Amino acid sequence: MALTMSDVDRFEACRPRLEAIAYRLLGSASEAEDAVQETFLRWQDADVERIEVPEAWLTKVLTNLCLNQLASARARRETYVGQWLPEPLLAGDPMLGPADTAEQRESVSYAVLALLERLSPNERAVYVLREAFGYPHREIAGILDLTEAASQQIFHRAKKHVAEGRARTEIDRAAARRVVEEFLAAATSGRTEPLVRLLTEDAVAVGDGGGKVPARAKAFEGALAVAKFMRGLFKPSEAKRRFVGGSAEVYATTANGDPALVAVFDGRVIGVMCLEIGAEGIAGFRNQVNPDKLERASRRWAAADHGEPLLRAF
């Protein structure tokens, strides 16, 4: 059946929420957009006049499309070159979704998205729908064809797994910028000691180059190892300038609600480094440099004014 303009409008009213759900489930903005578009095609083919609650119907279709996608994604990630990290979303991106509560903000943090990769598809779906969007277990059970009791059990198990791997402390934007500036000053000092003082003892640094940009396959672990890596990363060299094409500009911002550094060259985002702040210091760095996962960030960066960079690197 052909959709009326009213039917299209009903779908478009749900699109932002559908994209935010899909992004949390898949960790990829481009894949989330594809899943939402496929949901629209299913909506187009449905007898929409018989659908009593369009939002619930669309959420169920989308979630199950994402679950199928997650199953195939796991196989692809087994052959992925190096570490796999989610696609970062810069401050203000509507795909970040609701951010009214601490739980909603945390559910889209880069650290938590990385942790969600450890969950089964069903655990991930229950966690996202409950924690980030506040769906009652009765509705989640209907979406995933579970019992309500099973949904509750899965949620508690998923939340426990996420909590065990989490070190994040929520800070406001001004404090986040101060942390980033302090880190950048230490990283460019040429000395290891100032960096070590900013890090937790078990700090970790992970990079995702996707086989297209150099990134170490194994994470750096421990304050000293991470500090040495960061000192080398921010040390200028002719080889780095040749690889990038010149000197990159480095800005302080937030990505997925985390303090972040964004490296930009010729108007294009070439790297996003998210900092995970723990109670005792910086607990983690997740550095996305795979160009395939920075296209959306580049588009959004180009559409806004960001002031002067903190640093011209390399």
Side-chain angles (χ1 to χ4, degrees):
M1 295 179 63
L3 293 180
T4 66
M5 284 305 299
S6 176
D7 296 331
V8 173
D9 289 344
R10 282 196 290 175
F11 180 87
E12 291 302 325
C14 292
R15 183 185 288 274
R17 183 182 53 81
L18 295 174
E19 287 189 343
I21 291 172
Y23 171 71
R24 281 170 165 84
L25 288 175
L26 299 173
S28 164
S30 58
E31 291 180 5
E33 290 171 342
D34 290 344
V36 172
Q37 185 58 29
E38 180 61 30
T39 303
F40 176 74
L41 296 177
R42 303 286 179 94
W43 175 250
Q44 196 171 34
D45 290 340
D47 185 356
V48 298
E49 294 301 320
R50 300 183 64 180
I51 297 174
E52 295 182 5
V53 186
E55 179 180 317
W57 188 92
L58 290 168
T59 302
K60 180 166 185 172
V61 170
L62 174 82
T63 301
N64 283 283
L65 285 169
C66 289
L67 289 178
N68 291 336
Q69 181 76 1
L70 279 173
S72 61
R74 283 181 174 237
R76 291 198 308 274
R77 287 167 194 172
E78 288 177 1
T79 59
Y80 191 81
V81 179
Q83 298 277 345
W84 186 96
L85 290 175
E87 182 175 344
L89 297 182
L90 300 182
D93 194 314
M95 198 176 279
L96 289 169
D100 298 327
T101 67
E103 290 78 13
Q104 289 173 334
R105 292 188 293 274
E106 187 171 59
S107 71
V108 78
S109 73
Y110 215 52
V112 167
L113 285 180
L115 288 170
L116 292 183
E117 288 293 308
R118 304 178 186 177
L119 304 183
S120 71
N122 261 10
E123 286 174 336
R124 186 164 184 162
V126 171
Y127 181 87
V128 166
L129 292 172
R130 179 64 181 162
E131 192 79 345
F133 296 91
Y135 279 84
H137 284 291
R138 176 178 49 80
E139 290 186 29
I140 296 172
I143 291 169
L144 298 175
D145 295 322
L146 304 167
T147 65
E148 189 171 345
S151 177
Q152 291 171 338
Q153 290 172 354
I154 291 171
F155 174 70
H156 290 307
R157 187 166 64 241
K159 191 166 184 177
K160 182 173 182 288
H161 288 324
V162 172
E164 286 172 350
R166 188 177 63 213
R168 186 171 183 260
T169 298
E170 190 168 19
I171 59 177
D172 61 35
R173 181 166 295 191
R177 185 179 178 89
R178 287 195 298 272
V179 169
V180 168
E181 290 176 346
E182 190 175 1
F183 162 72
L184 199 57
T188 56
S189 70
R191 295 162 51 229
T192 303
E193 294 79 7
L195 276 166
V196 171
R197 287 196 294 269
L198 294 177
L199 308 178
T200 62
E201 289 185 7
D202 57 352
V204 175
V206 184
D208 178 352
K212 299 185 177 184
V213 174
R216 191 169 185 257
K218 188 177 180 182
F220 290 91
E221 299 181 354
L224 184 58
V226 172
K228 288 180 177 179
F229 166 65
M230 290 297 168
R231 185 189 64 189
L233 182 65
F234 284 92
K235 184 178 181 179
S237 74
E238 185 59 34
K240 291 175 185 174
R241 282 190 290 271
R242 284 199 302 269
F243 183 80
V244 172
S247 293
E249 297 176 332
V250 179
Y251 296 81
T253 185
T254 60
N256 294 73
D258 294 321
L261 289 169
V262 175
V264 180
F265 177 73
D266 197 22
R268 177 173 54 88
V269 174
I270 61 171
V272 177
M273 178 185 289
C274 292
L275 282 65
E276 182 181 0
I277 310 301
E280 298 177 0
I282 303 174
F285 300 87
R286 290 173 175 83
N287 191 21
Q288 183 57 261
V289 291
N290 183 345
D292 293 343
K293 297 183 182 181
L294 295 171
E295 292 179 1
R296 184 181 178 95
S298 289
R299 292 196 303 270
R300 292 197 60 82
W301 188 266
D305 178 31
H306 303 281
E308 290 298 310
L310 294 178
L311 172 71
R312 285 180 170 82
F314 314 139

